[in-house]
DNA sequence: GATGAATGAGTATTCATTCAT
DNA sequence: CATGAATGAATACTCATTCAT
């Protein structure tokens, strides 16, 4: 960001802009996301927007950062161990669905459509790493071991699979479909229960 | 299309344009997909592009149609029954990876970013229906029954999960990662083997 | 024209093109008059059109020439003298209305909207001169004298007034309105009857 | 208009654009009226033009509105009764000529060539109605009666005749020709004096 | 600081015209 | 000669960004 806002008023302005941007990004996609529209929805002049965000990329990065922070916070608050795979899966799906409820399209737009400064693009980004290790950890925990290389990969596959299901549901406006939730839970539970086993060993 | 190409020359031009469009859509996303860029990459004038495609939407629909046809053809050539879940999963992953190999980002861009004429947008589209029933069928087959309502949902979840894994791999440029393939195969196999069972029954 | 058509077939082609052009010009105005559209309506290829007309201006000039020839022919066939002003006015209005009946908007488009090569633009054009002298003559005849300078001006005013009435009627699609015809006849009759008189002398 | 200009600066910009548009429309006709040319002549960027006019049609409507307002104002300031037909005719011609002096071709271009939003197109438009009833009124007044149906038609014929004479004079660049003015005055006077009479009654 | 007027490069699309077949 | 595929300059309009007030 161009300028760290010192005063409370400025901080509020920045938040308003980020929130307006998130709403537009979610509802209209990257194509409908114009700086003038964001400023208008936020109720500030276009000049003010550029006071806080030197360009569009910086703004979208701020929105992304905010969104990923929120998502990670939701995941971190989940209990990792001390819980059966089935219960964990239920809580996980709840958390992911909740994270997508505020701005249903936002996650996908931020990851797929919107361009981003290097920081978020590469697979080594702070968020990717934390996100991934969260899943690797969960898998290892339910396999009663500490995370190994295979768990990293399994974690990625699991998180991407969940992402795919949720994302496509969001696209159809069916993010709260209970039957879908149940099936997704079943998929996760199966995977968690069986990871690390050589297939067919059960 | 605006005009049926009569001569061989023009048929070739149309193919070149569609191919160039697919490439750009795949590499740059919807935002980078400009008609002038497509024409340039195709090596034809902008006028030629508009001779065959009355507008951008029609062009993107042609690309989508081509891509989905190819994808469905790949799936249809898979053996459905007479094969163990594990073997089926291996072949399925191979087919999906192959379909994404030519233009890695194309599938997601076409489904998520690019606008489209009604035909493809709604969930009742010819392709969605065939795609979905393919998965419902596979699940039912491996459960030794004919497809029921639950299989429809399971089919959607499975196909969306696979989609998520493949898409994110494509985003990272890791679509040919063998370890990922193996994990994905395991996920599918588990799900196919257990679908229809009440969880915990195994 | 680029090429004098020698054979009957060529002459027919040229006529078809001119007729198609007149129709489009009349129905769609200058803005809708594109060479490709004319060729299509005429049922010839765009290449053939350019075989006979080196450019758009030449084509529009051919249409104009044809139209003005037709119009003049209609006027020339009117009896000039040996007839009361009232009867002359009736016949004149009939002729003018008839000339506008085939392609109602054509006259205006050709004179106002469509650009033209110098030949038609300037007031000394062959057609303007003949047209004008026709009216000057009519006025002089009904004033029992040979045409003088004042008659030239009166002729212009009369022909322009008639043009205005007919043109605006065409615009409203009311070119066959009998009440309007009657009023126009009255206007012409009054003017013919009084021209040359010092106003107030009657 | 897209945006109400708040500051004095922007109000001036809008006026400049409308004026430039009128000039171009008058000199070059609808075909030469391009938004980029208007912006250039107005000395503003194309972006500024679109800040105030969402599209070309809105701009041309603004020009038309302005022009018709001006024209009506000129007519309304004329004394209707208490004046001989001849004097009235003189004043009328003066007013019409004055209205066409600033932008000679504008009136016809606006009415004939330029497309317009519904408001102006149909014969029931506010302007058409007022314009027409003005002439019907004038005719009735000079016939010492209140306007009847026949006066409506006569009004239309008279106004269209005047329009034709003025327009064609403008086309020839001869709008200030005194001899023409005199003849036109005579035409109007005759018509006003005789309207309502059965022809031949004088 | 805040405002919003102004900028202009960029994008979709049209159409007169050329030329290989 | 006829065809129609190909060309590209021109046109309406958008939107990120700047800067005078």
């Amino acid at each position: 960001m161009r300028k760290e806002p010192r005063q409370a008023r400025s901080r509020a302005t920045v938040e308003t802009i980020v929130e307006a941007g998130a709403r537009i990004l979610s509802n209209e996609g990257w194509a409908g996301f114009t700086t003038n529209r964001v400023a208008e929805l936020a109720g500030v002049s276009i000049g003010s927007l550029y006071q806080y965000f030197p360009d569009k990329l910086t703004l979208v990065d701020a929105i992304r950062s905010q969104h990923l922070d929120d998502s990670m916070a939701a995941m971190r608050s989940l209990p990792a161990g001390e819980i059966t795979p089935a219960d964990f899966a239920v809580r996980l799906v709840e958390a992911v669905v909740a994270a997508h409820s505020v701005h249903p399209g936002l996650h996908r737009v931020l990851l797929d459509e919107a361009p981003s400064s290097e920081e978020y693009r590469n697979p080594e980004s702070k968020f990717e790493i934390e996100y991934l290790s969260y899943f690797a950890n969960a898998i290892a925990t339910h396999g009663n071991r500490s995370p190994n290389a295979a768990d990293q990969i399994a974690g990625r596959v699991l998180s991407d699979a969940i992402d795919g299901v949720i994302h496509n549901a969001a696209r159809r406006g069916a993010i709260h479909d209970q039957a879908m939730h149940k099936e997704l839970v079943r998929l996760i539970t199966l995977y968690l229960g069986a990871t690390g086993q050589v297939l067919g060993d059960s």
Side-chain angles (χ1 to χ4, degrees), chain A:
Chain A
M1 250 183 293
R2 168 184 278 178
K3 205 174 209 170
E4 276 307 305
R6 303 286 151 115
Q7 299 158 17
R9 182 154 62 109
S10 304
R11 235 175 302 120
T13 302
V14 165
E15 271 171 42
T16 313
I17 294 172
V18 168
E19 168 61 22
R23 173 123 67 201
I24 291 182
L25 224 32
S26 169
N27 293 340
E28 325 275 350
W30 175 252
F33 180 77
T34 74
T35 50
N36 281 287
R37 233 137 104 61
V38 172
E40 191 186 24
L41 180 59
V44 303
S45 73
I46 182 65
S48 289
L49 188 153
Y50 275 88
Q51 197 91 44
Y52 295 111
F53 304 94
D55 56 28
K56 211 183 173 183
L57 238 176
T58 311
L59 171 57
V60 81
D61 271 346
I63 297 169
R64 189 172 358 236
S65 182
Q66 172 90 319
H67 172 73
L68 293 182
D69 271 345
D70 290 356
S71 297
M72 278 312 310
M75 314 233 64
R76 271 193 289 258
S77 73
L78 282 184
E82 318 281 317
I83 189 176
T84 68
D87 284 343
F88 175 75
V90 168
R91 306 286 288 275
L92 180 59
V93 169
E94 280 172 6
V96 173
V97 166
H100 279 79
S101 291
V102 202
H103 297 306
L106 188 57
H107 195 79
R108 179 189 68 76
V109 170
L110 285 172
L111 259 57
D112 286 345
E113 292 192 38
S116 61
S117 59
E118 272 316 301
E119 182 176 358
Y120 296 93
R121 217 37 162 182
N122 66 16
E124 306 307 318
S125 84
K126 178 182 142 213
F127 288 104
E128 283 265 296
I129 288 174
E130 181 172 2
Y131 201 73
L132 216 57
S133 70
Y134 176 87
F135 276 93
N137 241 307
I139 287 171
T141 300
H142 289 283
N144 291 317
R145 57 185 128 72
S146 41
N148 57 30
D151 292 333
Q152 293 289 333
I153 294 171
R156 181 105 76 186
V157 166
L158 182 56
S159 92
D160 288 350
I162 295 171
D163 179 62
V165 174
I166 293 295
H167 156 55
N168 279 297
R171 191 156 60 90
R172 299 186 191 96
I175 218 180
H176 293 294
D177 180 338
Q178 296 294 324
M180 178 272 283
H181 292 181
K182 254 182 121 167
E183 274 301 314
L184 182 52
V185 164
R186 205 161 58 78
L187 178 67
I188 299 169
T189 308
L190 279 167
Y191 198 64
L192 283 180
T195 352
Q197 303 171 7
V198 178
L199 214 57
D201 273 17
S202 71

